[in-house]
Amino acid sequence: MSLLASVRQGAKGFAWFMRGVMGDDAYDKYKAHHQALRDAHRDTHHDPDAAVCDGPRMMTEREFWRDQTDRQDINPQGRCC
Amino acid sequence: MGTKPRTPHDSPKRGEELDRDPLLLPVALDQTTHDAEEAHWSPLKIAIWGGISLLGGLSWVMLAVVRGETVNAIWFVFAAICTYLIGYRFYSNYIQKHLLHPDDRRATPAEYKADGKDFAATDRRVLFGHHFAAIAGAGPLVGPVLAAQMGYLPGTIWIIVGVVFAGAVQDYMVLFFSMRRGGRSLGQMARDELGKVGGTAALVATLAIMVIIVAILALVVVNALADSPWGVFSVGMTIPIALFMGVYLRFFRPGAVTEVSIIGFILLLAAIIGGGMIADTEWGSTFFAVDPLPLAIGIIVYGFVAAILPVWLLLAPRDYLSTFMKIGTIGMLAIAIIIVRPEITVPATSEFVNGGGPVVSGSLFPFLFVTIACGALSGFHALIASGTTPKLIEKERQTRFIGYGGMLMESFVAIMALVAALSIDRGIYFAMNSSPALTGGTVEGAVTFVNSLGLTGVNLTPEMLTETAKNVGEETIVSRTGGAPTLSVGLANIMQQVAGGSGMMAFWYHFAIMFEALFILTAVDAGTRVARFMLQDSLGNFFPKFKNTSWRLGAWVTTGIMVSAWGAVLVMGVTDPLGGINTLFPLFGIANQLLAAIALAVCLAIVAKRGLFKYLWIVALPLTFAAVVTIYASFLKIFSTVPAVGYFAQNRAFSNALDEGLTSFGTAKTVEAMEAVVRNTMVQGVLSILFVVLAIIVMITAVQATWKSYKSRSFGTNEDDAVASQMFAPSGFMATPEEKKLATRWDAQLAQAKLDKAGKTTRR
């Protein structure tokens, strides 16, 4: 059982690593960033309804992925030899 | 908290800004805690490091001193890994402690500029993978293969020792300095530190160097695919596969990156298997057998189209596929070498250390050090280390693991490529890597030529060449220059012993060709784009309209200029009567090392500005070496009177022959071919002069800036202002015990905050 558990944990860790390296988690990170901003905003204003920040609106998942490649269009990154 | 300022740069004022409310959890361990952890040597730790040192020492003895008939490949692996571990544990630590002084109380750009997109704190292990995928490509796979003509020892020493003292040091420093500057690029840092002249020279040199690097990488692909129907088909299929992946991600499953990469990978395997079947058919073997020149033109057209298409359609999916393949295949190769442990029969140092070798011309010094660039010291990495990575890094101390550690990993790839190339028969090696001008491109010609070299223990027979060609599913393997095919034969040889037997050799060969081509084409696409933006930025200083990168016509014109620049060099290499890669590859290495010299020169000026003259040697050592090697190599390429080495000597020899009215000279059989040599050598010679002059300007301005700092003792800084960090993360791959303790407290606090939030209570 403990062997099975550690195998499962290893597989989970590998999946987490691959997701990160391949960039699957980009939107999750973006969302977390926005939520943290919103929380901080709410904390400072002590107003539970102040959900709307002054900053940019949070993009939907589809918008985010489009925006990501569009940003690469104008800001290319080298790949080494 | 409050570690004492150790340099003029770490002013007390800055220290105060970083002081943290003692009631809050600390965001960094005290320097004293770090020092205490390092200074504590438990018996187990002593035993482990003693074991590593002994094993490393033994491996070096087996490689360098013991002279048996053969040497086992496992010693290369042990010598490399043990040396890396020692270099990482002690030397990079020394650099961290005395030169860079990371301060985890300071927020990194990923924290203080966080936008959830370009600036986003990324787990150090994930970022290591990212960074490695961005720096490693075909370079470390090709250079060591060509350098194998000198024997196994010189290349091995340079790759392993070079990375510890030069390559990894450069990557680490550039990453750290760029991080302290909000992720500024190498070009911007050069302008900040070296002024207008040095900065402009660095920029022009970078642009020119990128052109030559892209061109020669493309030449490697052309050489690997020419007249290989199987290769042309399977590599060609990567384009529709990437387009499919792009559309899939854009319209059907946005964000499913790993999923689409797995689908793409399966399609790639199908393309390789399908390529074998198609190459067997009558029409397939004629239709896909493309000559070098049309193939080169195809790649040029492809490069232009790929660079103006939107990123999501071709570039991004190809990049995903390439990253996926990189991590998979390199892991696979490492495991295979450890399982198979091939015996190496190549001598430690070959007959060609003093020059005269057919693969790369010139003597060991300096040409070995420019033939192997990537894997030991690669200037191109400075562009990556001052690109995306510094914007994603979580904590300052992690730069050591990612910058220094990432480069060690690339070096290990180079060692494996060297082992794979060394594992094949020496006769076959020389038959594959000598230019068609020498072998005539025929089996008989190759056998005669290789046996005439008088190499000890080499007795090449025609059967060996035809048999190997048949095994890997190719018409011929004679004069398959450029390194990629040789590596693929070596790799196929090793992999078939693990999986599939000789029946699978053809598959593994084309698998290897495929991933090398994939890495290279990704680098070509990305390189063209980056170069185009650099050109637009520079042209924008004279014609402001070019600054607007979304101006279509401007984008097309600048892309066209960059593509024609590398395309011209590529066509020159493909049509060169002297063999192409043999004459051009040194230029690739020289360009890459000159870029390293530029990056190190910028680091030198920065270190001097920090007032750390006592430790300036850490930068000066690799800088001096790179400068001596590249300037000397350029000097030989420009002034040598030996035609095989000097571009202008060759040029003179052929012009004289033309003047004398000869219609055939050396390996050039026609007047046109002779004229081509005259033209090519002139271009190559002029490029050599351009590179070396620009690099010397940069180095002189860097030394001037260093001297100014020394004389005036004024230590300004171009770093961003220090911002206090609000988070904690361990610094290395594994957290140390003290780091673990602190991390646990942070985890508990985060869990509590979540509970509080869920319970609708206000925090704090």
Side-chain angles (χ1 to χ4, degrees):
Chain A
M1 192 58 211
S2 83
L3 178 75
L4 192 72
S6 51
V7 167
R8 191 174 298 161
Q9 203 184 349
K12 239 183 180 171
F14 181 73
W16 166 83
F17 178 76
M18 282 311 283
R19 258 176 72 80
V21 173
M22 296 303 297
D24 289 82
D25 60 354
Y27 185 66
D28 294 343
K29 280 169 73 179
Y30 169 79
K31 212 162 66 178
H33 171 75
H34 258 264
Q35 257 144 18
L37 274 188
R38 207 181 311 172
D39 288 349
H41 186 80
R42 204 179 302 165
D43 281 355
T44 46
H45 291 266
H46 299 288
D47 175 7
D49 294 326
V52 186
C53 297
D54 318 328
R57 185 183 63 85
M58 191 171 97
M59 288 181 273
T60 66
E61 191 164 0
R62 201 168 257 272
E63 284 170 341
F64 171 82
W65 289 108
R66 289 203 167 206
D67 174 69
Q68 198 196 33
T69 44
D70 293 349
R71 267 181 294 123
Q72 285 172 28
D73 260 324
I74 50 166
N75 183 23
Q77 287 305 325
R79 276 286 178 267
C80 191
C81 21
Chain B
M1 295 250 150
T3 45
K4 279 202 184 116
R6 275 177 303 192
T7 69
H9 156 73
D10 292 329
S11 69
K13 189 169 157 282
R14 274 166 186 260
E16 275 163 31
E17 277 164 19
L18 296 173
D19 276 346
R20 189 169 164 86
D21 183 348
L23 292 173
L24 295 174
L25 276 180
V27 294
L29 289 179
D30 268 315
Q31 188 57 43
T32 41
T33 315
H34 278 300
D35 291 345
E37 274 202 311
E38 263 159 37
H40 176 67
W41 283 86
S42 67
L44 178 68
K45 204 165 143 191
I46 294 174
I48 290 173
W49 283 102
I52 291 172
S53 313
L54 278 177
L55 181 60
L58 173 70
S59 309
W60 279 112
V61 168
M62 292 303 289
L63 291 178
V65 183
V66 175
R67 285 278 178 275
E69 288 282 292
T70 61
V71 56
N72 194 286
I74 201 73
W75 298 117
F76 291 85
V77 175
F78 284 148
I81 292 178
C82 295
T83 311
Y84 297 155
L85 287 173
I86 292 169
Y88 181 78
R89 170 63 183 78
F90 297 98
Y91 192 52
S92 76
N93 198 34
Y94 181 84
I95 297 172
Q96 167 174 275
K97 205 165 168 175
H98 297 294
L99 198 72
L100 296 182
H101 306 152
D103 185 346
D104 272 351
R105 295 172 307 155
R106 282 180 74 148
T108 60
E111 191 179 348
Y112 67 82
K113 284 188 173 182
D115 63 0
K117 298 185 283 189
D118 299 319
F119 292 88
T122 304
D123 183 276
R124 63 199 185 281
R125 292 153 296 191
V126 168
L127 188 56
F128 183 90
H130 264 294
H131 182 71
F132 173 72
I135 60 172
L141 298 175
V142 169
V145 174
L146 303 180
Q149 87 159 347
M150 304 275 186
Y152 70 76
L153 195 56
T156 307
I157 294 177
W158 166 230
I159 292 170
I160 297 177
V161 178
V163 77
V164 168
F165 289 102
V169 178
Q170 174 208 259
D171 288 22
Y172 181 21
M173 286 194 301
V174 173
L175 177 60
F176 182 84
F177 291 138
S178 171
M179 176 198 68
R180 275 280 171 96
R181 286 158 180 74
R184 240 170 282 170
S185 72
L186 181 69
Q188 286 168 307
M189 289 198 282
R191 205 172 321 153
D192 293 344
E193 306 299 334
L194 308 179
K196 212 163 185 181
V197 176
T200 310
L203 201 72
V204 176
T206 310
L207 201 58
I209 286 166
M210 280 187 81
V211 166
I212 202 83
I213 288 178
V214 167
I216 292 166
L217 284 175
L219 181 59
V220 170
V221 172
V222 170
N223 281 359
L225 296 185
D227 299 315
S228 164
W230 188 338
V232 168
F233 175 81
S234 51
V235 173
M237 283 304 285
T238 61
I239 297 171
I241 291 173
L243 293 174
F244 162 76
M245 289 169 65
V247 170
Y248 186 89
L249 272 179
R250 182 84 169 182
F251 300 108
F252 299 113
R253 300 265 293 150
V257 181
T258 306
E259 175 187 303
V260 82
S261 305
I262 293 172
I263 297 175
F265 177 69
I266 293 168
L267 292 174
L268 275 190
L269 292 184
I272 297 172
I273 295 166
M277 295 179 195
I278 282 170
D280 272 344
T281 62
E282 184 81 30
W283 64 272
S285 61
T286 30
F287 185 73
F288 289 109
V290 190
D291 281 340
L293 188 58
L295 199 58
I297 291 168
I299 287 183
I300 292 166
V301 171
Y302 162 80
F304 180 78
V305 174
I308 56 171
L309 279 181
V311 164
W312 65 265
L313 186 56
L314 188 58
L315 198 86
R318 187 193 270 293
D319 197 31
Y320 293 140
L321 204 52
S322 168
T323 303
F324 192 80
M325 290 275 274
K326 228 169 253 183
I327 293 169
T329 51
I330 287 168
M332 179 188 83
L333 182 59
I335 294 168
I337 285 183
I338 292 168
I339 294 176
V340 175
R341 295 185 302 278
E343 286 291 329
I344 309 284
T345 53
V346 173
T349 49
S350 81
E351 296 80 350
F352 300 122
V353 287
N354 295 320
V359 184
V360 269
S361 26
S363 52
L364 189 140
F365 187 84
F367 289 106
L368 172 82
F369 304 95
V370 296
T371 305
I372 302 178
C374 309
L377 171 62
S378 174
F380 214 101
H381 292 189
L383 303 182
I384 313 283
S386 62
T388 324
T389 314
K391 297 174 185 152
L392 301 175
I393 206 149
E394 252 180 334
K395 297 299 278 180
E396 291 205 337
R397 289 178 78 90
Q398 293 175 354
T399 44
R400 176 178 162 218
F401 168 55
I402 290 161
Y404 198 96
M407 180 62 192
L408 291 182
M409 191 78 176
E410 183 182 90
S411 175
F412 188 58
V413 174
I415 284 290
M416 289 191 298
L418 183 69
V419 167
L422 291 168
S423 73
I424 67 174
D425 179 86
R426 259 185 115 203
I428 295 178
Y429 171 86
F430 281 103
M432 290 186 76
N433 287 293
S434 304
S435 78
L438 299 171
T439 62
T442 62
V443 170
E444 297 71 32
V447 170
T448 318
F449 171 74
V450 171
N451 288 336
S452 77
L453 288 170
L455 304 168
T456 44
V458 169
N459 188 15
L460 188 64
T461 61
E463 291 72 40
M464 288 161 77
L465 291 176
T466 48
E467 180 69 23
T468 309
K470 207 177 116 234
N471 280 340
V472 299
E474 287 290 291
E475 196 72 10
T476 172
I477 54 162
V478 171
S479 291
R480 280 295 165 90
T481 55
T486 312
L487 175 70
S488 302
V489 168
L491 204 132
N493 208 0
I494 291 171
M495 285 310 297
Q496 57 101 358
Q497 294 178 53
V498 179
S502 63
M504 281 285 277
M505 256 189 98
F507 172 81
W508 288 119
Y509 174 87
H510 285 96
F511 184 78
I513 291 283
M514 155 79 87
F515 74 67
E516 286 178 88
L518 195 61
F519 298 170
I520 289 179
L521 291 178
T522 310
V524 167
D525 295 351
T528 306
R529 248 173 212 277
V530 172
R532 171 209 133 190
F533 275 79
M534 283 167 71
L535 182 65
Q536 270 197 281
D537 200 45
S538 313
L539 283 180
N541 294 330
F542 308 101
F543 312 100
K545 205 162 177 199
F546 275 101
K547 284 259 188 211
N548 174 13
T549 48
S550 45
W551 177 40
R552 271 292 162 77
L553 183 65
W556 289 25
V557 168
T558 43
T559 304
I561 294 174
M562 293 329 292
V563 171
S564 358
W566 64 254
V569 179
L570 171 62
V571 168
M572 184 174 86
V574 166
T575 54
D576 189 21
L578 301 178
I581 198 88
N582 314 47
T583 38
L584 277 172
F585 202 80
L587 215 49
F588 170 88
I590 291 174
N592 207 352
Q593 304 289 54
L594 281 175
L595 196 53
I598 290 172
L600 287 165
V602 173
C603 291
L604 184 81
I606 293 177
V607 170
K609 244 188 196 163
R610 299 181 120 212
L612 297 165
F613 298 102
K614 200 176 151 196
Y615 299 102
L616 208 58
W617 64 268
I618 295 172
V619 196
L621 179 80
L623 174 59
T624 312
F625 187 76
V628 167
V629 162
T630 47
I631 293 173
Y632 183 46
S634 305
F635 180 86
L636 289 179
K637 283 280 158 204
I638 296 164
F639 294 109
S640 170
T641 51
V642 181
V645 175
Y647 289 131
F648 292 109
Q650 193 78 275
N651 182 284
R652 265 191 308 278
F654 277 82
S655 327
N656 289 346
L658 279 173
D659 290 344
E660 286 163 23
L662 299 181
T663 52
S664 135
F665 186 71
T667 51
K669 303 291 180 221
T670 60
V671 172
E672 288 80 52
M674 290 165 70
E675 283 166 355
V677 174
V678 171
R679 204 167 48 240
N680 293 356
T681 47
M682 182 53 76
V683 174
Q684 291 155 357
V686 170
L687 281 175
S688 294
I689 295 174
L690 175 75
F691 290 160
V692 79
V693 167
L694 287 170
I696 288 174
I697 293 174
V698 175
M699 284 185 267
I700 289 174
T701 53
V703 171
Q704 271 175 343
T706 305
W707 181 246
K708 214 173 100 191
S709 303
Y710 184 74
K711 284 291 272 190
S712 65
R713 298 267 160 183
S714 70
F715 306 111
T717 178
N718 291 310
E719 289 184 3
D720 284 2
D721 285 334
V723 179
S725 174
Q726 306 295 338
M727 59 196 259
F728 172 74
S731 46
F733 176 70
M734 304 255 266
T736 66
E738 288 295 332
E739 286 177 338
K740 234 177 236 164
K741 269 191 227 162
L742 186 52
T744 319
R745 289 171 66 196
W746 275 90
D747 287 345
Q749 194 192 45
L750 278 176
Q752 186 60 44
K754 247 187 202 162
L755 272 179
D756 289 350
K757 203 178 148 194
K760 297 277 179 201
T761 51
T762 44
R763 280 199 290 167
R764 272 171 241 152

